[in-house]
Amino acid sequence: MFLSRQLARRAYLRAPRRWSHSPAAALSGLNAVTEEDLAHFSKILPSSAIISTLSPSATPSSELEPFNNDWMNKYHGKSTTVLKPRTTQEVSEIVKWCNQRRIGIVPQGGNTGLVGGSVPVRDELILSLANMSKIRSFDDVSGILVADAGCILQSLSDFLVPHNHIVPLDLGAKGRQHFNNSCQIGGNVSTNAGGLRLLRYGSLHGTVLGLEVVLPDGTILDQLTSLRKDNTGYDLKQLFIGAEGTLGVVTGVSILAAPAPQASNNVMLALPKFENVLPLFKETKRQLSEILSAFEFMDRTVYDLAVKHGQGRALDPADVEGAECFVLVETSGGKREHDEEKLNSLLESLMEADEPLINTGVLATSPAQFSALWAIREGLTEAVSKEGKAYKYDISVPLHKFKEVVDKTREQLRQKGLLHDDAVRHVVGYGHVGDGNLHLNVVAAAYTPEIEAALEPFVYELVASYKGSISAEHGIGVMKTHALQYSKSPTSIEWMKRIKALFDPNGIMNPGKVLP
């Protein structure tokens, strides 16, 4: 009844796309880096930690391209200088000088974001955290890990393996081959990254225990506590989680690692209709309870694109027939026999029900097959990119509205005469049912003003009508500053601006990002 297949990963490319909304106003009053500034930075950092097209370095501009362009080649800056400090004190001295000179700073981690938050809008200084990659401490009793902000997420995961712990965050960006850069823990915190297992481990607002932050005037705010409980006034660290570097530079992170599961399994299920997703989720939570770690949804079209573009095939074509969507369920627990018994019991009850919620499914029976099923879900972005130019909307809406959002967006494009092979080829949806996060992707033949005008503000207004969020996990960056009003009230935006002005009165920290 249940089949298992080996699947394959493929590398992929993304086509360039420029900003549509100019954030240049936020850079008014800021200065470019000069040779005098470079001379000062050379007193703080060795020459190997300075990359600049200015004299005396005179580095070819091509060497700055990985820093000036994001990994998708979608956002493009014109910075002349990249600094790569190794210590918090060096960061402090650099930021203090930039504040005095009113030089804009873009803190940059792995540069794996999707909204342009980690590349310059114009010619701001890029402050790369890549050289700050030390693990400061780990307590295998409490599970508390303290690390530099530049530690790559995959490296932290690898470090924790012999200690039988895991980082409570799992992203496609952590180590997949098609990323030239890999995400860093400081960037994860600064964007409040969500990931595939938020259902099990919660958000970084809960798992981050403390932060070390260099404020815009160079002051070092040391809240790098390793305490699980600290009820002494304002929890300032929360301001920096998700602030995208606009309030300061995160240089150190204290995070609660989770015990590593001793047994993991997954199953891909084919559903006859979307209306079965929520009853299935409810029943899965009831039966699997504490071992449920992920519940991922993908519609039929995006699954077909994954098959078409080499992400693998979970089910035989005959088994896929009649399926409107698919769900990937993962379990993680402490005893394999116990977990397999619960999972098998769930699958039997689903297949033997008088009105089955599923048509069929494929259950992983080996580590390779476990990875193969995840490869389909993690490869959806790649498949969409191979199919065409993707307009991506990372939104939070009520679970029962997932399909409605996709259908209404498709109908909007049809009414505008844009739903054909030479314009919009597909409108697809996939995402994290466990936390209400839908990835709405509009796949086009090319990026055009007509398509963008049809999508925006339509999608944002649609999300607002459901009292949803225009950014569930990717952040605001430069891409969505104009759309913040659809998720935040005027009062909320005003107080966000006041907080920004309090911390950063000169406006040097990641200018043009987050705030309209």
Side-chain angles (χ1 to χ4, degrees), residues 395-427:
I395 57 180
S396 283
V397 293
L399 298 177
H400 64 283
K401 297 295 185 181
F402 273 24
K403 183 175 184 293
E404 186 173 303
V405 169
V406 176
D407 290 345
K408 285 189 173 183
T409 303
R410 185 183 296 112
E411 182 58 28
Q412 161 76 356
L413 293 163
R414 179 181 286 110
Q415 290 180 5
K416 297 292 184 180
L418 295 170
L419 199 63
H420 53 83
D421 285 347
D422 294 329
V424 173
R425 296 169 177 169
H426 306 286
V427 180

Side-chain angles (χ1 to χ4, degrees), residues 501-516:
L502 177 65
F503 277 85
D504 184 20
N506 290 333
I508 67 165
M509 294 306 308
N510 216 4
K513 316 294 171 55
V514 181
L515 292 171

Side-chain angles (χ1 to χ4, degrees), residues 268-271 277 280 296-301 303-304 314-315 319-321 323-328 360:
M268 183 79 78
L269 302 173
L271 282 65
V277 172
L280 176 62
E296 297 290 302
F297 158 81
M298 62 196 85
D299 68 21
R300 173 62 182 269
T301 304
Y303 173 87
D304 287 344
L315 296 158
D319 293 326
V320 172
E321 205 61 41
E324 186 173 275
C325 58
F326 301 83
V327 164
L328 178 65
T360 186

Side-chain angles (χ1 to χ4, degrees), residues 236-277:
L236 295 179
K237 72 174 182 293
Q238 299 295 350
L239 285 173
F240 302 97
I241 300 174
E244 301 185 45
T246 60
L247 301 180
V249 182
V250 174
T251 54
V253 177
S254 173
I255 190 169
L256 182 64
Q262 300 304 300
S264 296
N265 214 332
N266 60 12
V267 58
M268 183 79 78
L269 302 173
L271 282 65
K273 55 185 178 180
F274 173 79
E275 287 72 21
N276 288 7
V277 172

Side-chain angles (χ1 to χ4, degrees), residues 16 23 29 36 38 60 78 84 94 132 141 149 156 163 183 198 293 299 309 377 407-408 424 487 505:
E36 178 185 352
L38 206 60
K78 297 179 180 179
K84 304 177 73 175
I94 292 166
M132 295 188 66
V141 176
L156 294 180
H163 300 284
C183 64
L198 188 140
S293 54
D299 68 21
H309 292 291
R377 168 60 184 88
D407 290 345
K408 285 189 173 183
V424 173
S487 289

Side-chain angles (χ1 to χ4, degrees), residues 181-222:
N181 306 295
S182 290
C183 64
Q184 298 170 9
I185 190 63
N188 300 148
V189 170
S190 295
T191 57
N192 189 27
L196 301 170
R197 296 183 176 88
L198 188 140
L199 171 65
R200 176 66 174 269
Y201 301 111
S203 79
L204 291 174
H205 279 293
T207 54
V208 171
L209 302 180
L211 294 176
E212 178 185 78
V213 183
V214 174
L215 300 178
D217 65 355
T219 300
I220 299 173
L221 176 64
D222 185 358

